[in-house]
Structure formats: structure tokens, C-alpha cells
Amino acid sequence: MIHEVIAQLDNGVSWLQTLLYIDVVQPLFYKFGWMGYDEDTYDALYWVVIGGLQVVLMYVLLRPLEALRPLETWQNRRVLRADVIYTWIGKLGVINLVFFMLLQPLFFQLQSLMTIHNIPNIDIDSVWPGVTDQPLVSFTIYLILLDFAGYWYHRWQHRFGVWWELHAVHHSQQQMSLWCDDRNHFVDDIIQAAFFAAISLFIGVQPSQFVVLVAVGNFLQSVQHVNANLPFGWVLERILVSPQFHRRHHAIGYGHEGTRYGCNFGVLFPWWDMMFGTASWNREVEPTGIRDQLAAPQGTARSYGEGVLAQQWTAFERIVERLRGRRVYTSDIVG
Ligand SMILES: [Zn+2]
Ligand SMILES: [Zn+2]
């Protein structure tokens, strides 16, 4: 049943991909004489279509929810503009494209080195024939393994100072909304793509499953950032990361404080937080952001940048300051 649905969706996406290719890309490429890039562009369009559909789905399902049951009311929606730009950059596969251009050769090398030196990759499908080779079973196993890796990746983003400065771009949004998930430092995005690609290669995720894994994961993470009152209830919030659970991770003074300890790092499942003692189920709605952003005496009214470019650039400046040991961060010492 589920593979039929996926096959149907795949057909639909391929149809849109071909349509876009014939009606938009090909005429443009003929005009500018870029026919050499033809085939790669056709493949990349698959991700563009998936990303475009995701944004449409987010807007249709989550935006009305924010309008009808807002958790926080804001006067100024202008600060969301940067997040919308991040969403389009992320969803249209710009980051993936850079990743493939920069790191794909390295991955091919890694792959052939693994074959030459007979380094086995864990082949989930053959662990229990008849069970783990069922697409739904292997999909679930991959999802859980990648989520476990994601939990640790996220903890390290908070643990190491330089890495935190990159991740601070995500946390510096004080008006969390459905657009907030892709608000990340691009360098961190590329490191993350490499991290997950390496693990996927090692555990033998099939490319067709990888697309679905990424799409499901992305959509659930957009739900987590929604500015809407969406209680999951006791049971569901222990199965899937809820907006309440993730909002706690963004709460000033609770979820994270620079390189100090935080809570609720789970990406899709809260199980790892429960297992490693980092879960907080407090439902209080707290202001979100980074303590430094608050006016004195709680913070230093620090700016993390208004637009996309300013946010990207100031992260580098903060890293340089940190490495020179010039500045004492309130977010590091108060907690
Ligand atoms: Zn975080
Ligand atoms: Zn978040």
C-alpha cells in the first residue's frame, strides 16, 4: 500500500519534472547555448519539484493554522522575510547543489576506497531476510538510525563554541514560525549534508528512499517551528517531537545557552532526549531566542543580523572573536 502511494507520488513528481524541463529549462538553455549542462539539470529538477511541493504543502497546511490559532502575536512580520528566503534556498536544493559540486568527488573516492579495502557497509536489507528487506521496515530503520545521528549532531552544535556560532543563526529568530526550520548557517548546512550523506552511504540507504526520508524529515521539522497552538497530547509528544517540545529547545535560558547544556535536542523523535536525560516536558510558553539578544541587564542587546547575508557574515565575526578570546559571552556564563 505505502509503496504504491510512493510510486504514485514519484510518477507525479517525474511528470512535473519533465514538464518544467521541456517548457522552461530547455528553451532557456537553447537560448543561452548551455546544452552541455542538460542532463545534470534534468536530475536536479527532481529535487526542485519536491522542494516546491513541500513549500506549497507547508503554506496550505501550516499557514492557516498560524492565522487561526497563533501562539504568539506579533506586530511586525518583516523579520520573517529572511526565513522565507532561507526556506526557498533550502527547499529548492541550492545547498544540495553546492554540496554535490564541492564534496561529490570526495564521496566517490570514499565509496571506491571502501570497496577496495573491503570495508563492509551495514546492509540493513540483508540483516533479517524477509523482514528488513521490506521497504517499510528498512525505511523505518533508516529513519531511526539517521535520527539518532541527528540528535548527536545537534548536541555538538550546542556543545562546541565555534559550531554554536554557526547554529546561533537558527536560534537567533525570536519570532518562531513555520519558515524557521531552514534558517541555518550555510556552512553548517553543508557540513550537515556531508555528515548525513556519509552515514547514509555506510548504512546503505537507497537513493529513492533517501528522497522520501529527507522530505518526511523536513516537513516534520517545519511543523515543529509553527507559531500555533498545536498540542500533541501525552502519548504523541513522546513518539514525535512536537512544536511544544521544540519550542522549549528555543526558549531563552532553557533549551540552550551557548556552549552550556540545553534540552530537547531530538530532531524527529524525542526518544534520545528521554534516553540520555535531556528531555524537558514543561509546557510554559517562554520567549524564544538567545539571552544575549535581550536588553541589559539580562543580555547585551546583541544583534545577530537582520538579513540573510548579515546573519551569515556576523557568524564568522563571532567565530573570530571567540577564537581570539576577546569577548565573554553572557550566553556562555549565565545558564
Ligand atoms: Zn539547537
Ligand atoms: Zn529549531
Side-chain angles (χ1 to χ4, degrees):
M1 165 68 189
I2 199 100
H3 2 298
E4 277 154 37
V5 175
I6 290 174
Q8 286 298 331
L9 279 174
D10 181 52
N11 279 343
V13 173
S14 303
W15 179 77
L16 277 171
Q17 178 189 17
T18 312
L19 196 81
L20 251 178
Y21 181 71
I22 293 172
D23 289 340
V24 182
V25 175
Q26 247 181 355
L28 267 177
F29 275 29
Y30 268 120
K31 203 171 160 189
F32 294 105
W34 292 341
M35 294 314 284
Y37 300 103
D38 225 22
E39 215 170 292
D40 291 341
T41 313
Y42 181 76
D43 293 341
L45 272 181
Y46 188 87
W47 284 97
V48 171
V49 173
I50 295 262
L53 288 175
Q54 274 190 58
V55 176
V56 171
L57 199 70
M58 278 161 66
Y59 200 78
V60 171
L61 294 180
L62 303 179
R63 186 64 193 92
L65 213 67
E66 287 196 340
L68 291 172
R69 319 185 47 173
L71 201 67
E72 290 180 329
T73 36
W74 314 312
Q75 270 85 49
N76 179 7
R77 290 186 64 83
R78 263 192 32 220
V79 292
L80 304 191
R81 254 187 231 163
D83 295 2
V84 176
I85 298 172
Y86 279 113
T87 305
W88 281 110
I89 293 175
K91 298 288 189 270
L92 293 187
V94 179
I95 302 293
N96 288 349
L97 212 68
V98 176
F99 164 72
F100 278 114
M101 284 187 323
L102 289 178
L103 298 171
Q104 184 79 322
L106 211 82
F107 270 85
F108 278 135
Q109 232 168 14
L110 184 72
Q111 214 159 5
S112 48
L113 273 176
M114 277 169 75
T115 323
I116 293 167
H117 296 286
N118 251 337
I119 300 169
N121 39 359
I122 310 165
D123 185 9
I124 302 287
D125 285 8
S126 58
V127 171
W128 186 359
V131 177
T132 52
D133 51 7
Q134 296 289 321
L136 194 61
V137 176
S138 61
F139 177 82
T140 312
I141 295 173
Y142 291 136
L143 195 66
I144 294 171
L145 288 176
L146 288 174
D147 195 65
F148 177 69
Y151 168 82
W152 285 104
Y153 186 93
H154 193 185
R155 265 182 78 163
W156 300 330
Q157 282 177 314
H158 285 264
R159 183 67 193 81
F160 301 107
V162 171
W163 213 344
W164 158 251
E165 295 306 347
L166 299 178
H167 187 50
V169 172
H170 181 68
H171 281 276
S172 63
Q173 176 55 281
Q174 293 175 281
Q175 296 186 13
M176 268 172 76
S177 76
L178 71 112
W179 305 109
C180 187
D181 181 46
D182 284 298
R183 177 195 175 105
N184 293 305
H185 201 281
F186 298 135
V187 171
D188 200 13
D189 274 334
I190 291 168
I191 299 172
Q192 193 165 16
F195 177 77
F196 284 108
I199 294 174
S200 304
L201 184 75
F202 188 63
I203 59 177
V205 180
Q206 301 299 314
S208 59
Q209 285 193 321
F210 191 69
V211 176
V212 187
L213 284 166
V214 171
V216 169
N218 280 348
F219 185 73
L220 288 174
Q221 287 179 77
S222 299
V223 174
Q224 290 165 15
H225 292 94
V226 79
N227 176 34
N229 189 5
L230 190 66
F232 270 31
W234 198 94
V235 177
L236 187 59
E237 73 178 358
R238 278 164 178 76
I239 298 172
L240 270 183
V241 168
S242 68
Q244 256 169 354
F245 188 84
H246 192 64
R247 194 167 273 272
R248 188 82 184 152
H249 174 68
H250 279 261
I252 295 175
Y254 297 97
H256 65 91
E257 282 298 335
T259 53
R260 301 264 319 195
Y261 234 56
C263 66
N264 301 6
F265 300 99
V267 183
L268 301 182
F269 308 121
W271 319 334
W272 320 117
D273 282 300
M274 290 152 80
M275 210 178 270
F276 298 108
T278 51
S280 162
W281 302 102
N282 194 310
R283 286 160 197 251
E284 216 63 45
V285 180
E286 306 277 354
T288 55
I290 302 168
R291 190 189 293 268
D292 264 356
Q293 292 175 300
L294 299 175
Q298 294 110 304
T300 55
R302 189 157 211 238
S303 167
Y304 283 75
E306 294 258 311
V308 172
L309 291 177
Q311 286 156 9
Q312 300 291 309
W313 181 249
T314 54
F316 290 131
E317 287 180 339
R318 288 194 305 273
I319 289 175
V320 171
E321 279 173 30
R322 185 179 280 276
L323 292 176
R324 285 182 178 163
R326 276 224 189 122
R327 195 188 269 264
V328 177
Y329 289 79
T330 46
S331 56
D332 282 354
I333 46 174
V334 197

